[in-house]
């Protein structure tokens, strides 16, 4: 590989670029995770992350990727053969479904077209037919990273409540947390799953389960085997700021700094910034005459925008060309969308000029790849950003 000057544009929908402040915070000696100094760090991040999830309940931090936290949510609350209801919002919902099936759970998948979020009424309708309360949990992906569609978690909560069904409500906001508005307590979520490498602006390597009293009560009866993921041992150690096994100490230094940065900016401002950049991106896509995959304006993701290419044009070829020519990584189409779409990540530590550089790379790439489009998308985004 030849030397490339300047910064690589990492515009995939996570991992997102890690700000220098976070890199510097992590650049510290590893300390004894059972020594007196560690408890201050442990307590600071365990308290701080609750504010990001908007919860008063405990949040468990695993040295694992998001997939581990998916598994943890299920094995702590469910028993072999339990029925769970999931919604086919895209590739990540499909992977969570596969994981649940491998654990021996009976998964019912409400079908979806990968262009809409989970349908609150379809969930309610299925729960109403479940007279014997066989369904133990409803699992929804909040921000479906494969499609750029954000499900309406508050509406789904209300729809579940209207049925009076006692199922647990579990939500994956691995790519939503700290970019899209999220309210664990207010939305009555029992287990929220998240990860470090998206809105929290950290490298990959830690992931989370935010809990509820109901989830903790269910954990006492749940019989799926668990050891590493067991909330019990975690919470017992966390009470004094420690972990039952070696934590990802340097990522926790980074997490402390990330929480500080998010709180100095203000979470509401962070969410508004993401909405504004998402809107500018959609305006660019529209000006190019291309199609945004998400069909419901109420479900457009503030985290990423997925762009559908005209029939006969290979999105992977376009991405390869943009990487080679302009040193920018864009997200690939996943699962059944492979080659059909590319995904623009606009999450985490991003500002107007980073976004405009990203959109310029896409617009130049479309021209170089011979993808039919109208020029002027960047201009449209500039006009929008300059006006507000
Ligand atoms: N769920 C969603 C919505 C994701 O975006 C991802 C990863 O991108 C995952 C789950 C899996 O997380 P990980 O790759 O960290 O295991």
């Amino acid at each position: 590989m030849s030397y490339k000057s300047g910064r690589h544009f990492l515009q995939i929908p996570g991992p997102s670029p890690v700000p220098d402040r976070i890199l510097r915070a992590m650049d510290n000696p590893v300390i004894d995770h059972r020594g007196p100094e560690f408890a201050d760090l442990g307590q600071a991040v365990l308290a701080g992350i609750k504010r990001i999830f908007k919860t008063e309940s405990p949040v468990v931090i695993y040295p694992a990727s998001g997939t581990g936290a998916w598994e943890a949510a299920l094995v702590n609350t469910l028993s072999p053969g339990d029925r769970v209801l999931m919604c086919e919002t895209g590739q990540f919902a499909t992977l969570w479904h596969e994981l649940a099936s491998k654990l021996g759970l009976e998964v019912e998948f409400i079908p979806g077209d990968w262009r809409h979020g989970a349908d609150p009424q379809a969930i309610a309708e299925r729960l109403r037919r479940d007279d014997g309360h066989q369904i133990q949990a409803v699992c929804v992906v909040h921000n479906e990273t494969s499609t750029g569609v954000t499900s309406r978690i508050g509406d789904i909560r209300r729809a579940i409540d209207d049925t009076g069904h006692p199922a647990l409500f579990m939500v994956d906001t691995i790519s939503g947390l700290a970019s899209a508005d999220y309210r664990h307590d207010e939305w009555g979520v029992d287990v929220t799953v998240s990860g470090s490498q998206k809105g929290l602006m950290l490298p990959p390597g830690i992931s989370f389960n935010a809990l509820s009293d109901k989830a903790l009560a269910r954990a006492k009866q749940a019989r799926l085997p668990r050891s590493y993921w067991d909330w019990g041992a975690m919470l017992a150690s966390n009470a004094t700021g420690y972990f039952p096994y070696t934590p990802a100490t340097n990522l926790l230094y980074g997490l402390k700094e990330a929480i500080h940065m998010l709180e100095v900016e203000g979470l509401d401002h962070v969410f508004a910034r993401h909405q504004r950049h998402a809107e500018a991106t959609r305006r660019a896509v529209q000006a190019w005459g291309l199609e945004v995959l998400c069909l419901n304006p109420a479900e457009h993701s503030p985290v990423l925008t997925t762009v559908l290419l005209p029939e006969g044009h290979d999105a992977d070829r376009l991405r390869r060309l943009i990487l080679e020519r302009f040193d920018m990584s864009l997200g690939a189409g996943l699962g059944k969308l492979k080659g059909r779409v590319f995904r623009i990540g606009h999450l985490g530590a991003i500002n107007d000029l980073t976004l405009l550089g990203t959109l310029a790379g896409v617009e130049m790439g479309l021209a170089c790849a011979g993808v039919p489009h109208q020029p002027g998308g960047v201009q449209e985004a500039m006009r929008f950003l300059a006006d507000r």
Side-chain angles (χ1 to χ4, degrees), residues 13-15 64-70 91-93 95-96 141-146 172-176 193-198 204-207 334 343:
S65 88
T67 303
W70 261 349
Q91 179 67 2
F92 288 103
L95 292 174
W96 202 8
V141 175
H142 174 219
N143 187 74
E144 180 49 86
T145 326
S146 63
D172 163 349
T173 190
I174 286 179
S175 62
V193 177
S194 196
S196 55
Q197 73 271 28
K198 314 269 187 180
I206 52 177
S207 55
L334 300 177
R343 297 173 299 145

Side-chain angles (χ1 to χ4, degrees), residues 119-180:
D119 177 358
Q121 291 323 314
I123 293 171
E125 191 272 325
R126 180 62 193 93
L127 293 179
R128 273 198 195 92
R129 284 193 288 111
D130 183 33
D131 294 333
H133 293 167
Q134 294 297 305
I135 295 172
Q136 298 297 323
V138 175
C139 301
V140 175
V141 175
H142 174 219
N143 187 74
E144 180 49 86
T145 326
S146 63
T147 63
V149 180
T150 306
S151 287
R152 291 158 290 146
I153 301 302
D155 291 355
I156 296 172
R157 173 76 265 172
R158 274 186 291 280
I160 296 174
D161 286 347
D162 287 347
T163 68
H165 196 291
L168 290 169
F169 186 28
M170 304 203 206
V171 177
D172 163 349
T173 190
I174 286 179
S175 62
L177 189 77
S179 295

Side-chain angles (χ1 to χ4, degrees), residues 227-311:
S227 169
Y228 183 79
W229 305 117
D230 189 24
W231 292 340
M234 264 290 187
L235 296 176
S237 293
N238 286 174
T240 49
Y242 293 95
F243 289 77
Y245 38 71
T246 314
T249 307
N250 292 56
L251 286 168
L252 298 182
Y253 292 142
L255 177 60
K256 189 173 168 197
E257 182 66 12
I259 294 167
H260 178 63
M261 289 166 69
L262 290 165
E263 292 188 325
V264 168
E265 182 175 351
L267 278 179
D268 287 344
H269 191 274
V270 171
F271 301 148
R273 170 164 60 78
H274 282 78
Q275 290 288 1
R276 182 167 164 276
H277 286 152
E279 174 70 33
T281 305
R282 290 192 296 273
R283 286 181 185 226
V285 175
Q286 199 181 11
W288 292 325
L290 297 177
E291 206 181 331
V292 170
L293 187 70
C294 175
L295 287 176
N296 180 357
E299 296 176 328
H300 280 312
S301 171
V303 172
L304 76 147
T305 301
T306 301
V307 184
L308 199 53
L309 279 202
E311 207 67 55

Side-chain angles (χ1 to χ4, degrees), residues 276 283 352 380-388:
R276 182 167 164 276
R283 286 181 185 226
D352 289 4
E380 203 47 48
M382 280 168 57
R383 214 185 331 269
F384 172 76
L385 293 173
D387 278 357
R388 14 204 130 181

